[in-house]
Amino acid sequence: MPTHYPGTPAEKQALDVYIKLERAADAVTARINSHLSNFNLTVSQFGVLEALYHLGAMHQNELAEKILKSSGNMTLVIDNLSKRNLVKRQRDTEDRRRVQVHLTEEGQALIAQIFPRHVQIVVDVMGTLTSDEQLQLDALCRKVGLGADEK
């Protein structure tokens, strides 16, 4: 549905494109992440497990930055993963104010089980586009993500 804002043609076009971008991103995210409910995981919890799986143990603040969540939200996400024995916290030996998060054996096994299917779903969803279209979309997302100040 296009915007109903009675602005200039440029304003209406920008709003329409933004609305389509948001709807497409929401639809793709929902399709790609729907399988996570089978494992009783939220998107944020999966993001933490995936980051630790591929990058190794990280400090809680680094994890928050990596998966684009606030540090307050990250505390809750890690609390819930810890209750399920999927991650464990460990105080940094050099700076006791910092907490490092590690995958447990159970967390390692779960993400190793889930991730191949996740990749296949991403490939299938993105397969709607040709390889050239994927490269184009990548470039356009990067350009709009950087913003007008960094063109």
Side-chain angles (χ1 to χ4, degrees), residues 97-132:
R97 295 170 296 176
R98 296 184 69 185
V99 175
Q100 196 165 46
V101 182
H102 301 260
L103 277 178
T104 62
E105 286 184 27
E106 291 89 344
Q108 177 86 19
L110 180 62
I111 192 65
Q113 174 190 357
I114 295 171
F115 199 72
R117 175 72 179 129
H118 186 78
V119 170
Q120 188 57 55
I121 294 168
V122 171
V123 169
D124 291 347
V125 169
M126 290 297 124
T128 306
L129 303 173
T130 67
S131 179
D132 286 344

Side-chain angles (χ1 to χ4, degrees), residues 39-92:
F39 301 94
N40 197 27
L41 290 172
T42 66
V43 173
S44 295
Q45 290 170 337
F46 175 78
V48 167
L49 294 176
E50 189 272 334
L52 296 173
Y53 184 63
H54 287 106
L55 301 173
M58 280 190 250
H59 290 103
Q60 194 165 313
N61 289 343
E62 293 171 312
L63 269 171
E65 287 177 24
K66 187 61 70 182
I67 69 164
L68 306 175
K69 297 295 177 189
S70 71
S71 58
N73 178 258
M74 188 55 47
T75 299
L76 179 62
V77 169
I78 293 170
D79 283 348
N80 289 329
L81 289 170
S82 183
K83 286 177 189 171
R84 293 179 58 188
N85 198 35
L86 298 175
V87 300
K88 64 181 176 184
R89 289 182 172 104
Q90 189 172 23
R91 289 269 169 214
D92 189 310

